[in-house]
Amino acid sequence: MGSGHDVLGCLIELSNTIFRKDGERRNLDQYFTPMSEAADIIRGLELTGDEQCLDPFSGSGVFLTTLLTQFRFPLSQVHGIEFDEQLQRFTNSYCEALTATSDEAPTLSAGIVESIKTGTPLTPPTVPITHGDTLVELPRLPKDTKFDVVFLNPPFFLLQGKHPKKWVPTLISHISDRGKLALIVPKWFLNRTVFKKDICDAFDIRSSGPMRPDSFQVNSSCEIYLVAAFKK
């Protein structure tokens, strides 16, 4: 029989499948990353285990829960923002179960929200996933709040038109000097100015290539790319 982590991981995968079939989510071009893909992406970033990690569009929290379970990151080093309150509560419950016997079991106060309210940097312990709108929350973070790793798989509509110019530069400003960025984006985004200028000017692109067509279990004509970038 599998461990509790395996069972809860299956629940995350089930959540992904349910929400991937939801018409409203697909209209937003929001596709969740499978746990197996998340683990491979994290390995490719060559993490040391002491990084502060952020998923600003965390969805069902696959990257953050994979850090907790497979890579043994402490709860105090994983942070996320999710607009969908149902997903946010689900993932925090999962993380609470994972850390129930840990010294870092979560308190029910969201670290990012407290950081915004008090104007101070993030301090542990925190509930990993904050309920909020990333486009609103990021500009309100104290300027000295920095993350070493950012996983970026936003709803693709936020990469269109003028949207990226409003939030991508702000996100980059909160990535530390040793920061690493994993992007899951449609291929067409790689030709946009905000990628060529804002991201490529600040990061070395270590790898870039298409993800498997069946990775997201959705019927999409959009070719999805994984890009790994390290701060210059």
Side-chain angles (χ1 to χ4, degrees):
M1 181 178 293
S3 68
H5 291 182
D6 296 333
V7 173
L8 288 167
C10 289
L11 288 176
I12 287 285
E13 292 286 16
L14 177 61
S15 165
N16 279 353
T17 302
I18 291 170
F19 281 101
R20 274 197 296 261
K21 292 179 179 177
D22 181 278
E24 181 179 356
R25 287 232 156 224
R26 291 183 62 178
N27 287 339
L28 294 178
D29 281 337
Q30 185 168 1
Y31 305 139
F32 298 129
T33 310
M35 294 190 80
S36 58
E37 296 279 352
D40 289 342
I41 291 168
I42 292 170
R43 289 188 191 96
L45 294 177
E46 303 172 4
L47 305 187
T48 62
D50 64 345
E51 294 91 350
Q52 289 288 332
C53 303
L54 171 69
D55 187 343
F57 302 96
S58 59
S60 56
V62 168
F63 282 111
L64 303 184
T65 52
T66 301
L67 283 169
L68 288 170
T69 55
Q70 297 191 38
F71 294 86
R72 303 301 182 188
F73 268 64
L75 190 65
S76 58
Q77 291 173 214
V78 297
H79 311 278
I81 305 173
E82 172 53 37
F83 185 75
D84 187 315
E85 190 172 6
Q86 181 181 359
L87 276 175
Q88 180 253 351
R89 289 181 175 179
F90 179 88
T91 308
N92 278 336
S93 296
Y94 177 43
C95 292
E96 186 174 12
L98 287 176
T99 58
T101 59
S102 167
D103 292 337
E104 295 197 10
T107 62
L108 295 181
S109 60
I112 288 179
V113 167
E114 290 303 311
S115 175
I116 290 168
K117 288 179 179 178
T118 61
T120 58
L122 290 166
T123 55
T126 67
V127 164
I129 314 296
T130 294
H131 174 234
D133 183 345
T134 293
L135 275 63
V136 174
E137 306 297 351
L138 277 177
R140 297 167 59 192
L141 277 175
K143 291 183 179 180
D144 57 351
T145 299
K146 300 290 184 181
F147 300 94
D148 304 307
V149 181
V150 173
F151 301 99
L152 193 57
N153 180 14
F156 291 169
F157 83 95
L158 290 176
L159 299 174
Q160 297 174 353
K162 296 181 179 180
H163 285 298
K165 295 179 182 178
K166 296 179 180 179
W167 63 268
V168 171
T170 304
L171 177 64
I172 291 174
S173 73
H174 287 292
I175 299 178
S176 72
D177 290 341
R178 64 169 183 161
K180 300 176 180 180
L181 181 62
L183 300 95
I184 297 173
V185 293
K187 183 179 180 180
W188 51 255
F189 179 70
L190 306 183
N191 293 318
R192 295 295 171 93
T193 300
V194 72
F195 177 79
K196 291 184 174 181
K197 180 174 175 57
D198 293 273
I199 294 176
C200 291
D201 281 357
F203 293 85
D204 286 321
I205 306 302
R206 296 295 181 91
S207 63
S208 176
M211 299 187 72
R212 296 198 314 269
D214 61 344
S215 292
F216 296 90
Q217 300 178 13
V218 293
N219 295 321
S220 174
S221 59
C222 175
E223 190 172 11
I224 299 174
Y225 266 58
L226 168 65
V227 178
F230 291 19
K231 200 78 173 282
K232 290 181 179 179

